Amino acid sequence: MSTHAIFRAPTPRNEPINDYAPGSSERERLQRRIQQMRDERIEIPLVIGGKDVTTGELKQAVMPHDKEHVLADVHQGSAAHVQMAVDAAASAWADWSRWPWEERATVLLRAAELLAGPWRDTLNAATMLGQSKTAHQAEIDAACESIDFFRFNVEFMTRIYAEQPISSPGMWNRIEYRPLEGFVFAVSPFNFTAIAANLTSSPALMGNTIVWKPAGTAMLSAYYLMRLFQEAGLPDGVINLVYGSGPAIGDAALGSPHLAGIHFTGSTPVFNGMWRTVASNMERFRNYPRIVGETGGKDFIVAHPSADVDALATAIVRGSFEYQGQKCSASSRVYAPSNLWPALRERLQEQVATITMGDVSDFRNFMGAVIDSASFRTQADAIEEAKASSQSDIVVGGGYDDSRGYFVEPTVIETRDPGFRTMRDELFGPVVTTYVYDENKWDDTLELVDKTAPYGLTGAVFSEDRAAVTDAQEKLRYTAGNFYVNDKPTGAVVGQQPFGGARASGTNDKAGSMWNLIRWVSPRSIKETFTPPTSYRYPFMDAGADDAGT
Ligand code: NAD
């Protein structure tokens, strides 16, 4: 295939968010799809080389808010299936890695249109039921953010390709952005369907082939996402879906000589373990694998004594409790000045008391359940610890109940110890801890914000005083890769706030920007000389008058 034009990709725009208000046709359609999915119990295969593969080893996909309700029985793979997927990826690579960029782009642009239209309800409903997201949370994730990744990444790819070297007279220098030689291992977390969409499709767009292991708690949405890729025209073997336990699938994939890259999002300990496995396998690899990982966070909101209390309270409630606090960007530690605390405390108690929680199919709920029994235990333990400690009190919430689903009340803890465990550890649930600082100790507080946790993902400063904003921006330069001023620290939008953090939060390769895509290519410099020299001698070597006699 050859291209006889320099094509321009369609200008991307962020997908508009449906609001699912009562009486709207979109609400009715989504509710119908939810009902269908609740009523059926499907069997889900692995998809390797475009073929459905069953293993007979089944794991149930349940609804976190109704834990006995089985949505699907999902076939689980083993090391042998990873090998099949690696082989399928290699055979697809021979062709896909040579497709013209615009042909690859059409697959993703078509996926975006299908998801904006006929697939929207399916991916949203699967995300709602399987991951316990409300309609709004599913819409901004599974539909809008996935669509944005597909559309914007096409544009980012063209920007990378357009980056070319200069050429001196008589030659033409070019850079070709080759796909990596080997497969990319994509490992996705449970909490964002769009992350799974991006971890797989961004390397694929750049011409790579993928072995994909989704989270065991997001298997239903992963299945429909795979079907969407297939319907969009992704050739067989470009993305290979292998369900299974993390270590079983991970160790097999990370031991393959053909591993060219890891595209991971999940917790810091799992990423550290993968990095160690890669290091111990170094002699086997044909290439040094690209290791890209976005990991945990202990995201903060720090309020200056000049902050607007209403804006602050709203940011805490939305930033800490939307999707049950299970966003890597969710605020989980708050630094409140003593002058504002009485008012803030009251607002939090009032607002949190009005939060509705329950089955996400009931659209009146603001929150669903946490993802599984392990997370439920983590939250319950932290709450009990706070209740028992002389250093902390429960401001609001503190209840939990897993009789039907894994429900944890939105909980605000107040601590008098800035190093209290829940100020440091990622809990990944609807529990936020507040430390009230002496309003005269702004500088010391910024120091605490920076030093308390090992992470560096997101954070927000609230202040009406410009100097304090500048101060925080400067002193917290490395404390957050996504820094917000008078806004909650969640809700990054593709193309608007490229996402990621450093320190223990990952490699900060900024999903939703061209900087992520650059990791999935291995540039080749090509120099072509039009009239090459035909003698090895340089002019300076010719004899001149001054050389006589020497
Ligand atoms: P997790 O680390 O438990 O799992 C992530 C993925 O890794 C899953 O697919 C899991 O099956 C897999 N896995 C587990 N052990 C493995 C192994 N030994 N080898 C290979 N793969 C293995 O994380 P989670 O609970 O799904 O997601 C929550 C975490 O993700 C939180 O820590 C959150 O902060 C983080 N997160 C970060 C970002 C970000 O952009 N920084 C975004 C979303 C989530």
Side-chain angles (χ1 to χ4, degrees):
M1 283 182 277
S2 62
T3 302
H4 291 84
I6 299 173
F7 298 113
R8 199 176 312 128
T11 305
R13 306 225 185 294
N14 291 113
E15 175 66 10
I17 299 168
N18 282 343
D19 60 17
Y20 299 99
S24 62
S25 59
E26 74 228 21
R27 181 180 173 112
E28 198 188 309
R29 271 201 327 271
L30 177 59
Q31 284 179 330
R32 221 177 306 128
R33 192 71 185 96
I34 291 169
Q35 198 52 50
Q36 271 174 358
M37 257 183 219
R38 289 182 82 108
D39 290 345
E40 64 193 11
R41 176 169 174 164
I42 62 170
E43 192 177 323
I44 295 182
L46 284 61
V47 181
I48 300 175
K51 300 213 166 39
D52 291 358
V53 175
T54 54
T55 66
E57 183 86 25
L58 294 170
K59 182 175 169 173
Q60 293 178 345
V62 300
M63 302 202 295
H65 44 273
D66 190 355
K67 60 189 181 165
E68 303 303 329
H69 186 123
V70 180
L71 294 161
D73 298 287
V74 187
H75 288 267
Q76 302 293 294
S78 62
H81 300 102
V82 174
Q83 190 53 53
M84 281 170 69
V86 169
D87 293 345
S91 80
W93 188 89
D95 189 42
W96 177 250
S97 69
R98 291 185 159 74
W99 275 38
W101 70 263
E102 70 276 7
E103 301 281 334
R104 283 181 270 123
T106 58
V107 175
L108 286 209
L109 294 174
R110 180 166 152 75
E113 289 317 299
L114 289 171
L115 184 48
W119 279 80
R120 195 178 199 115
D121 298 328
T122 297
L123 214 60
N124 278 344
T127 302
M128 290 176 69
L129 298 181
Q131 289 138 265
S132 205
K133 286 204 172 188
T134 61
H136 175 67
Q137 292 300 318
E139 168 75 5
I140 59 175
D141 163 23
C144 298
E145 194 173 355
S146 301
I147 293 167
D148 288 353
F149 276 128
F150 297 156
R151 290 184 183 148
F152 278 83
N153 280 342
V154 168
E155 156 90 9
F156 299 144
M157 169 175 67
T158 63
R159 280 200 222 161
I160 289 175
Y161 286 179
E163 180 61 37
Q164 291 294 325
I166 59 163
S167 300
S168 296
M171 67 179 70
W172 187 4
N173 294 321
R174 278 124 53 192
I175 289 188
E176 178 203 8
Y177 294 92
R178 300 172 302 182
L180 304 180
E181 201 183 11
F183 72 94
V184 173
F185 184 38
V187 181
S188 52
F190 79 83
N191 66 335
F192 275 90
T193 301
I195 293 181
N198 185 53
L199 294 182
T200 49
S201 69
S202 66
L205 177 65
M206 302 310 282
N208 298 281
T209 55
I210 322 297
V211 175
W212 171 30
K213 199 213 92 59
T217 38
M219 297 189 291
L220 187 66
S221 61
Y223 171 68
Y224 286 116
L225 183 61
M226 185 69 216
R227 291 293 190 233
L228 167 68
F229 287 140
Q230 290 181 297
E231 190 171 325
L234 192 75
D236 292 347
V238 172
I239 295 175
N240 301 280
L241 167 57
V242 184
Y243 294 105
S245 93
I249 305 304
D251 290 352
L254 301 177
S256 168
H258 306 291
L259 179 74
I262 296 174
H263 204 188
F264 174 84
T265 299
S267 62
T268 303
V270 169
F271 187 52
N272 291 354
M274 290 170 80
W275 198 302
R276 272 193 294 273
T277 306
V278 167
S280 67
N281 288 334
M282 269 335 291
E283 271 63 38
R284 290 193 206 177
F285 301 131
R286 186 146 185 230
N287 287 277
Y288 290 98
R290 299 282 166 91
I291 305 182
V292 174
E294 297 306 330
T295 58
K298 190 69 196 172
D299 309 305
F300 62 86
I301 294 178
V302 58
H304 185 258
S306 66
D308 175 327
V309 179
D310 289 319
L312 177 60
T314 304
I316 295 171
V317 171
R318 287 189 171 172
S320 310
F321 301 135
E322 280 184 315
Y323 190 39
Q324 296 81 265
Q326 298 172 120
K327 300 189 183 189
C328 46
S329 54
S331 41
S332 60
R333 54 184 175 125
V334 172
Y335 297 80
S338 49
N339 64 320
L340 298 184
W341 179 237
L344 178 61
R345 186 187 158 94
E346 203 179 296
R347 302 271 200 299
L348 290 174
Q349 284 171 329
E350 275 164 19
Q351 291 184 21
V352 174
T354 66
I355 289 179
T356 43
M357 181 170 73
D359 190 323
V360 292
S361 310
D362 179 345
F363 281 25
R364 290 168 304 181
N365 287 322
F366 178 79
M367 282 173 59
V370 299
I371 195 69
D372 60 10
S373 59
S375 172
F376 180 81
R377 222 353 72 219
T378 303
Q379 314 313 318
D381 287 351
I383 288 170
E384 288 311 315
E385 199 177 319
K387 284 180 182 167
S389 169
S390 61
Q391 291 302 305
S392 57
D393 304 304
I394 303 285
V395 173
V396 59
Y400 47 88
D401 177 359
D402 66 349
S403 49
R404 174 127 199 204
Y406 305 109
F407 289 105
V408 178
E409 281 180 11
T411 299
V412 180
I413 298 171
E414 180 193 350
T415 181
R416 288 165 285 284
D417 172 9
F420 196 65
R421 188 179 75 80
T422 62
M423 291 295 281
R424 291 183 279 114
D425 288 0
E426 184 185 52
L427 303 173
F428 220 58
V431 177
V432 61
T433 308
T434 306
Y435 171 69
V436 182
Y437 70 89
D438 176 340
E439 64 188 90
N440 300 310
K441 294 202 168 153
W442 173 242
D443 280 346
D444 296 350
T445 303
L446 292 181
E447 175 94 9
L448 271 179
V449 175
D450 184 53
K451 296 278 171 348
T452 301
Y455 301 102
L457 196 50
T458 76
V461 59
F462 276 76
S463 171
E464 301 284 287
D465 173 346
R466 189 71 230 167
V469 170
T470 310
D471 203 24
Q473 211 159 286
E474 180 53 34
K475 298 217 169 73
L476 303 176
R477 192 170 186 210
Y478 287 93
T479 324
N482 282 62
F483 189 77
Y484 293 81
V485 179
N486 291 321
D487 204 341
K488 66 180 168 45
T490 58
V493 174
V494 175
Q496 300 200 32
Q497 299 95 20
F499 193 79
R503 294 187 177 167
S505 291
T507 54
N508 198 14
D509 286 293
K510 290 288 186 241
S513 79
M514 63 189 277
W515 313 117
N516 175 277
L517 299 187
I518 198 77
R519 301 300 308 271
W520 310 120
V521 294
S522 176
R524 171 165 77 151
S525 294
I526 301 171
K527 174 187 176 187
E528 178 164 353
T529 298
F530 296 120
T531 54
T534 50
S535 160
Y536 83 91
R537 294 180 62 81
Y538 291 103
F540 76 88
M541 297 162 70
D542 292 345
D546 51 345
D547 295 320
T550 58

